[in-house]
Structure formats: structure tokens, C-alpha cells
Amino acid sequence: MAPCWRLSLGRPAWLQLQWVVISLVVMLSLANHSSGYFYGEGNEQASNDRFCFCQLQGTIDDCSCNVDTVDYYNNVKIYPRLKSLLVKDFFRYYKVHLNKDCPFWVDDSKCAMRFCHVEHCEEKDIPPGLKGDTTSYHKYIKEVQTLTNCNEDLDVELGYLNTSISDKAHKEFQRWADYDEAQDNFCILDDHEPGAEYVDLLLNPERYTGYRGESARRIWSSIYLENCFQAHSIKKKNAFSAMIPYQDMARNEVCLEHRVFYRMVSGLHSSINIHLCANYLLSEKSSLGFVAPSGVWGPNMEEFERRFSPHMTDNEGSHWLRNLYFAYLVEMRALAKAAPYLRNEEYFTGLEKDDREVKTAVKDLLTVIEGFPSHFNETAMFSGGTSSIKLKHEFREKFMNISKIMDCVGCDKCRLWGKLQVQGMGTALKILFSGKFDDKMESGLGTKLKPQSPPLRLKRGEIVALFNAFGRLSTSIHELEEFRQRMR
């Protein structure tokens, strides 16, 4: 029987109002129950909860902090700083090779849509400090080499020492150095190769370009299915061993290193999907009906629900979103670990005022990151003796393979952002696991390097990718909150 809403003249007004409110609540509850939208376990109501599936709570897997803590720290402290920092010239110009052939299959699926095209910047727009080699200095000039205190009684022939080194020998030495350095890399660095060009990231924002279908699915299938670890690493062998089910990870049926790998890849995937949903091509025409040169972009709620809601993802969407937070914490830890090194960088572009501002802003951001109460603990990984060496090599090779798959993406703009974010994540892994950033004082995070430490080295492209990749994860967490607000 439907509740009666007629007001009784014999009752006080407040009591009548209270009865109306109670009646409305009962009717809404009945409507929700009869709607049939239920998911998960227990008494969760999907008619309401399906619009709140992105409201995550609790501890982040394999980390010691809560989702709420990350939300607040990122959205209030980190995201605003990154947003103002990444528009600076040092971080907006990224050198990348976008014309490499796919090493795994014949790339016959180039995206022909105009929004897949990458806008290349003109030579005059590139900051002067990025056009030349700023790492070379004329250390050996004539005045330095002139001897003023030679002993005249030395035999000229016996004392002769040929100090010249041929150009060929110099190139060989550089090849050795590059090889040694490459052993620490977790991704392919191609900014030094012929064909690499500077791209203005602000002219080419990451967004949904219309690139979809079999080509896009093949990329992610290759990333997941061709980079799985051996089945013997799973305590309980699963029939679908190409993918580790989340339930197995939640029960810790795979080792920490494998869980970290899958959660980082899944977190990157979730982050990219959020960017596509938040910057979706809504129309190619303006409100007046004319073709808009740059299109009309904005958030697409239906697409967001399709990619993450429980009833569209077999209850996996919320786990994928949690992996976004995991990847964020891993990259944040890498920035904190490399903070002493990054503070000493000059961030040189040749524009003195801008360079000074960037260096100050980076120091401020690093101080905030170091102040985060609970970082990811990478020391728990690869600590099992000789077997861990093999596991670390396997981990590195699989992530290196993912960076090669990025050259198979058919959309140039998608390829640009895929390569940048994979390189940024690979740089974070290099910082955490190469061992070259471990030599620090015993007082904890953010301490200064010991004077005896060997010189640490990150290339400019790695630094640009590291900050921009972390910026993409930070933006995803911020945009996730925006989707929550719209759903409410």
C-alpha cells in the first residue's frame, strides 16, 4: 500500500512534515530494491552504489596508507603544484621518435582521424638551451695544456707520451658507457636516435582521439598477455595463467614483485582510460553547427561508467581504480628517493628567469612529496638472494618489452603519450631498483647523498618523462574526484 501523504489538521505541522519525509524515504527504498541493480556481496545497493563505485576507501594494496589520504594530499598539495610546473618550457618540450616501425607485427592500422595527428613545434619555438648539447664543455683549451714547469734535463724521446685519443676510440668509449648505463634502464630511450623530434606537449594534450577497435585492443592484449610471468610463480596454478586474477593477488598467491608489476601496468591503464573519459571528443562541430577546427571536448560520464562500473567490468573496475593509486605511490616514492639529485639539477633551457623559477618550483614540490606520511617501500622487493637477481632481470625485461610495444600504437598522439608515460614509469623503476640512488645517510627519506657517492645521472628526457608521467597519474586522481562530484 502506498503511504498516505494527506495532512491531518489534528497533528502538529512538524509531525506532519516528518511523516512526509519518512514516506519519501520508504518509497525511494522500495524503488531502489525493485530496480534490480545489485552487485558485489552483502546488501550493497547498485541503484545508488553503482553511481559511487569510484568512491574508494580503505588501505591501498601492498602499501600502508589509505585512499582518502592520497586523495587529500594529491588534490590539495601536489596536483596544483604539478599543474603550474609542467607548463614550463623545460617540461613541455619532449624529444621523442614517433616514426619507428613496430618490432612485433606489420603496422597496417594507422589512425587516419585528424585528431590522431601530432602537432610538431617549429624550430624557433624550441628554447635555445635545448637546441645544442649543453652537457659538453671545452675543458681542454690551449692555456690549460701549456706546461710551464718542465724539467729541461729530461730525455725527449724517453719522456714522450702520446696523450691523443682518436675520434674512433672516443666513440667506442661512449658505446661502453652507454651499454653500462643501459643495464639500469627499464625502458627504451630513443631521443638520441635519428628521426627524434621535439614535441610541445601543451599543443598535443592527451585525450580521446577516436582511436579504437582491433588495433587498440591488440596493444593492450600484447601488454598483458605477452608479458605475463611464468605459471610456476603462482602457488595455485590458474587455467587462465596469462592473466593473474585479482582474487589471487588479493590472497597474496603471487609474490610481491609480480603483484607490483601487474598493479603498475593496470594503474597506468586505468590512468589513461580516465584521461580519455575526462577529455572525450563530444562533437566535431561547434554549438552553431560549424566544423570546429579543434573539436569539442569534455567529460563523458557514460564512457567512464562503461570502463569502470561493476556491472560493466564484472566487479573489477574498482580494483583497477585502486591500482591507479598504487602506481601513483610508486612514482611518488621514486621522486622522493631521487630528490637530492633532482634538487641539484639546473633545468637549463637558456631562459635564465624561467630556469630559476622552475628550479625553485621543483624544490618546493619535492619538499611536499618528502613530507608525505607513508611512501611505498621498495626495499621489500628483490631481497631474496640469488633468485631475486633473476626475478629482477625478468621484471626489467618485461617492462622493457612494454616500451617497445608503444611503437606499435597506430595513433600518433596516443603513441606520444604512451611512450612518455611508460618512459616515466621506467625511470621511476630505474631510480628505485638500479641501486645507484641507494647511497644516502641513515636518517631516512630525503637526506643528502654521501660525499663518496658515485655521480648519479638521469638524462633530460628521463626527467621530463618522470615528472610528466607522475603529473598524468596526479591528474587522473584529481579527475576521479571530478567524476565523483558529477555522479553525486
Side-chain angles (χ1 to χ4, degrees), residues 80-335:
R81 287 175 166 85
L82 279 170
K83 186 177 180 180
S84 62
L85 176 64
L86 296 180
V87 299
K88 298 294 187 180
D89 283 355
F90 183 86
F91 293 106
R92 68 183 284 187
Y93 290 101
Y94 176 61
K95 195 170 186 181
V96 61
H97 196 328
L98 295 177
N99 298 314
K100 297 175 70 174
D101 294 331
C102 173
F104 301 108
W105 59 77
V106 177
D107 187 7
D108 55 356
S109 53
K110 281 286 186 180
C111 176
M113 296 186 65
R114 60 191 176 108
F115 299 113
C116 290
H117 176 68
V118 169
E119 298 279 347
H120 290 278
C121 50
E122 298 183 17
E123 181 73 14
K124 63 181 180 61
D125 297 326
I126 301 175
L130 304 184
K131 295 180 181 179
D133 181 9
T134 60
T135 61
S136 299
Y137 299 94
H138 297 288
K139 298 178 181 179
Y140 303 102
I141 57 177
K142 181 178 180 180
E143 290 77 4
V144 175
Q145 295 300 310
T146 302
L147 296 177
T148 56
N149 295 314
C150 292
N151 295 321
E152 296 181 0
D153 58 345
L154 291 179
D155 187 286
V156 176
E157 293 184 3
L158 292 177
Y160 174 74
L161 179 65
N162 187 345
T163 58
S164 63
I165 301 177
S166 67
D167 290 339
K168 182 179 179 180
H170 273 297
K171 290 179 181 179
E172 287 299 317
F173 295 154
Q174 186 60 47
R175 283 181 58 192
W176 297 345
D178 291 342
Y179 175 82
D180 291 339
E181 184 179 351
Q183 303 313 299
D184 296 323
N185 292 338
F186 281 75
C187 59
I188 303 297
L189 306 178
D190 58 17
D191 56 344
H192 62 285
E193 297 179 3
E197 297 180 278
Y198 277 106
V199 175
D200 186 343
L201 298 177
L202 299 187
L203 290 179
N204 299 276
E206 184 183 18
R207 54 194 183 187
Y208 179 72
T209 62
Y211 176 61
R212 61 190 308 169
E214 183 58 33
S215 176
R217 284 192 294 270
R218 181 167 56 177
I219 296 297
W220 285 111
S221 295
S222 299
I223 288 175
Y224 284 112
L225 301 181
E226 296 179 14
N227 293 286
C228 55
F229 290 89
Q230 296 299 319
H232 63 71
S233 65
I234 307 176
K235 295 179 182 178
K236 181 180 179 181
K237 189 172 181 179
N238 190 283
F240 302 98
S241 57
M243 285 289 290
I244 296 181
Y246 180 82
Q247 291 80 2
D248 288 345
M249 289 197 291
R251 291 194 298 264
N252 293 330
E253 296 199 5
V254 294
C255 66
L256 172 63
E257 290 80 3
H258 293 181
R259 296 200 305 272
V260 167
F261 182 89
Y262 285 111
R263 283 174 179 151
M264 290 194 70
V265 173
S266 174
L268 173 64
H269 195 177
S270 297
S271 179
I272 291 174
N273 278 336
I274 291 174
H275 301 154
L276 303 187
C277 295
N279 296 279
Y280 201 89
L281 179 59
L282 303 178
S283 175
E284 295 193 33
K285 296 182 179 181
S286 66
S287 58
L288 299 177
F290 300 105
V291 175
S294 58
V296 179
W297 307 82
N300 187 323
M301 299 296 295
E302 291 76 14
E303 185 68 16
F304 179 75
E305 185 175 353
R306 186 183 72 81
R307 292 175 185 260
F308 292 108
S309 65
H311 64 284
M312 296 294 289
T313 63
D314 195 23
N315 285 329
E316 289 291 332
S318 61
H319 302 315
W320 298 339
L321 291 174
R322 297 180 80 86
N323 290 337
L324 160 66
Y325 287 80
F326 180 82
Y328 175 88
L329 290 175
V330 171
E331 293 196 16
M332 179 193 277
R333 168 59 184 145
L335 285 165

Side-chain angles (χ1 to χ4, degrees), residues 48 50-58 66-72 74-75 274 299 301 304 318 321-322 324-325 475-488:
N48 281 331
R50 76 187 187 97
F51 296 111
C52 301
F53 61 85
C54 54
Q55 185 67 52
L56 307 176
Q57 295 178 344
N66 293 329
V67 170
D68 291 343
T69 304
V70 176
D71 278 333
Y72 170 79
N74 176 74
N75 296 340
I274 291 174
M301 299 296 295
F304 179 75
S318 61
L321 291 174
R322 297 180 80 86
L324 160 66
Y325 287 80
T475 300
S476 292
I477 292 176
H478 180 267
E479 287 174 341
L480 194 56
E481 179 59 30
E482 295 291 321
F483 277 112
R484 293 187 189 113
Q485 296 295 340
R486 295 187 189 99
M487 287 185 172
R488 293 188 186 117

Side-chain angles (χ1 to χ4, degrees), residues 73 366-375:
Y73 213 85
L366 294 174
T367 299
V368 172
I369 288 175
E370 288 175 327
F372 185 74
S374 183
H375 288 85

Side-chain angles (χ1 to χ4, degrees), residues 364-384:
D364 175 57
L365 174 64
L366 294 174
T367 299
V368 172
I369 288 175
E370 288 175 327
F372 185 74
S374 183
H375 288 85
F376 173 74
N377 179 19
E378 79 283 1
T379 61
M381 295 178 61
F382 308 116
S383 57

